[in-house]
């Protein structure tokens, strides 16, 4: 297998891991005012993701860095063309991180309410815009012969992209609700279970519409297979939650997100950024890649450090695996 294909798969894996892990903490943030009916319950929700949310964001940093090093033309066109949405995501993530750190610094309820709003916006906006961005990657954008994006911000906001954004929001809310059902006790757990069923039904309709539209644009046998598996995994997750098997339900939504992102990358290959101006202008794994020597060095670095980072993050989840309830929150 060529190193360009290896790095396309590695970058797809990094984005998949990011959406699976950050997806549930985005969901928890969006559900803060829905499942947390008082300050103590909201502290329960935040504490479930407190030890892991910043580690989850490492995946997007590594994915962006790997794209820059392995496919510099892809990185340049993507970050110049999607500049405003990506800037909005970055600002939202910074505000969200500050909110987690500052919320507990004062006991004034108005102070806490303002930071709660920052958590909600900082979780919802990235979820929506990541969906819009990845739908555009799959759909294609106007790129000229010089590998430059020639559209505007409004070019990115077509119906398919907006459906992609809503699908990502729905998936992350359902994923977050099931994470809370798995990690909390008492009334919060009961409400999270009930909400996961209602949100899951809406998400299933969105996901089926988005995946059907996705395969209608262009597809491969692998993309058809992963799309069908994604739909089956979501239905399995909802059935498992209804049967009280929260662990299996959470694994089901994790699989749904992973298979949905895999569907997009399977349908995209060998392109990395199709051009709607002329197919000959599309960026591919071949014309957007770094030199073979650079890819060879990067491969050795990834082989050495990726297992170390993966083991450290798995250890973090194991250490903080216990359920949290209001009785664990100090007055």
């Amino acid at each position: 297998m060529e190193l360009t294909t290896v790095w396309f798969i590695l970058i797809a894996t990094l984005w998949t891991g990011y959406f699976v892990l950050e997806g549930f903490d985005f969901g928890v943030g969006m559900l803060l005012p829905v499942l947390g009916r008082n300050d103590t319950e909201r502290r329960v929700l935040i504490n479930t993701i407190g030890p892991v949310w910043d580690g989850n964001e490492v995946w997007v940093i590594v994915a962006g860095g790997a794209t820059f090093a392995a496919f510099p033309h892809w990185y340049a066109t993507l970050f110049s063309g999607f500049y405003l949405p990506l800037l909005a995501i970055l600002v939202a993530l910074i505000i969200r991180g500050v909110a987690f750190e500052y919320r507990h610094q004062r006991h004034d309820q108005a102070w806490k309410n303002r930071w709660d709003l920052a958590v909600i916006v900082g979780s919802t906006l990235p979820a929506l815009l990541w969906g819009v961005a990845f739908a555009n990657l799959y759909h294609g954008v106007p790129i000229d012969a010089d590998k430059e994006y020639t559209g505007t911000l409004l070019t990115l906001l077509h119906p398919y992209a907006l459906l992609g954004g809503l699908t990502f929001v729905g998936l992350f809310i359902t994923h977050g609700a099931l994470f809370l059902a798995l990690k909390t006790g008492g009334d919060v757990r009961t409400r999270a279970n009930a909400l996961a069923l209602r949100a899951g039904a809406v998400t299933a309709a969105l996901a089926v519409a988005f995946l059907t539209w996705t395969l209608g644009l262009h597809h491969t046998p692998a993309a058809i297979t992963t799309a069908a598996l994604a739909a089956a995994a979501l239905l399995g997750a909802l059935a498992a939650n209804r049967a009280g098997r929260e662990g299996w339900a959470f694994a089901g939504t994790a699989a749904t997100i992973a298979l949905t992102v895999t569907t997009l990358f399977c349908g995209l290959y060998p392109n990395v950024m199709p051009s709607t101006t002329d197919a000959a202008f599309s960026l591919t794994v071949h014309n957007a890649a770094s030199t073979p020597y650079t890819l060879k060095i990067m491969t050795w670095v990834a082989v050495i450090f990726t297992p170390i980072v993966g083991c450290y993050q798995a250890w973090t989840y194991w250490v903080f695996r216990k359920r949290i309830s209001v009785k664990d929150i100090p007055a």
Side-chain angles (χ1 to χ4, degrees):
M1 184 182 294
E2 295 180 354
L3 284 179
T4 51
T5 301
V6 169
W7 274 97
F8 178 84
I9 294 172
L10 286 175
I11 289 170
T13 303
L14 289 169
W15 281 111
T16 301
Y18 171 64
F19 288 128
V20 168
L21 295 177
E22 186 96 300
F24 71 75
D25 70 52
F26 280 154
V28 171
M30 287 187 275
L31 293 174
L32 195 62
V34 179
L35 297 179
R37 295 183 175 175
N38 53 53
D39 182 60
T40 304
E41 290 185 350
R42 292 187 179 194
R43 289 167 64 188
V44 169
L45 265 63
I46 291 173
N47 283 356
T48 60
I49 59 174
V52 297
W53 70 268
D54 47 358
N56 294 343
E57 291 188 351
V58 170
W59 287 72
V60 72
I61 296 171
V62 178
T67 305
F68 170 74
F71 299 102
H73 294 298
W74 183 12
Y75 181 91
T77 305
L78 175 66
F79 279 78
S80 60
F82 294 10
Y83 179 77
L84 287 177
L86 294 178
L87 178 64
I89 290 172
L90 178 62
V91 172
L93 292 178
I94 291 172
I95 292 174
R96 180 171 177 263
V98 172
F100 286 140
E101 297 296 331
Y102 276 56
R103 185 185 186 280
H104 64 280
Q105 298 296 331
R106 291 172 57 180
H107 294 294
D108 179 5
Q109 192 57 46
W111 168 272
K112 293 182 178 181
N113 290 343
R114 284 194 287 273
W115 289 118
D116 286 349
L117 179 61
V119 171
I120 297 163
V121 174
S123 302
T124 307
L125 191 61
L128 179 69
L129 292 180
W130 279 130
V132 169
F134 271 74
N136 272 292
L137 275 183
Y138 191 87
H139 175 273
V141 291
I143 299 172
D144 64 16
D146 295 323
K147 299 184 176 67
E148 293 184 359
Y149 176 78
T150 58
T152 65
L153 176 62
L154 292 179
T155 307
L156 303 176
L157 302 178
H158 48 85
Y160 172 70
L162 294 175
L163 178 59
L166 291 176
T167 302
F168 271 45
V169 170
L171 282 172
F172 294 164
I173 286 177
T174 306
H175 198 36
L178 289 172
F179 176 76
L180 289 171
L182 191 62
K183 283 287 295 179
T184 61
D187 292 341
V188 175
R189 179 186 179 185
T190 303
R191 290 199 293 271
N193 268 315
L195 189 139
L197 281 176
R198 297 195 298 273
V202 176
T203 300
L206 287 170
V208 169
F210 177 67
L211 289 171
T212 303
W213 198 338
T214 296
L215 297 178
L217 291 174
H218 46 92
H219 57 266
T220 63
I224 295 172
T225 303
T226 54
L229 290 174
L234 183 55
L235 294 177
L238 299 180
N241 185 51
R242 192 175 183 83
R245 305 297 297 270
E246 292 157 344
W248 283 107
F250 180 70
T253 50
T256 303
I257 294 170
L259 289 164
T260 300
V261 179
T262 302
T263 299
L264 296 177
F265 278 101
C266 284
L268 196 60
Y269 184 84
N271 292 321
V272 293
M273 207 164 175
S275 171
T276 54
T277 306
D278 188 326
F281 301 157
S282 296
L283 301 183
T284 70
V285 295
H286 302 295
N287 66 18
S290 289
T291 64
Y293 179 75
T294 301
L295 295 177
K296 186 176 180 181
I297 295 296
M298 288 178 60
T299 303
W300 279 110
V301 172
V303 167
I304 295 170
F305 288 102
T306 302
I308 296 173
V309 175
C311 289
Y312 172 75
Q313 193 158 24
W315 175 78
T316 304
Y317 277 90
W318 174 255
V319 169
F320 296 101
R321 66 188 181 280
K322 291 184 178 178
R323 288 183 183 274
I324 302 172
S325 65
V326 291
K327 66 182 180 183
D328 299 309
I329 303 299

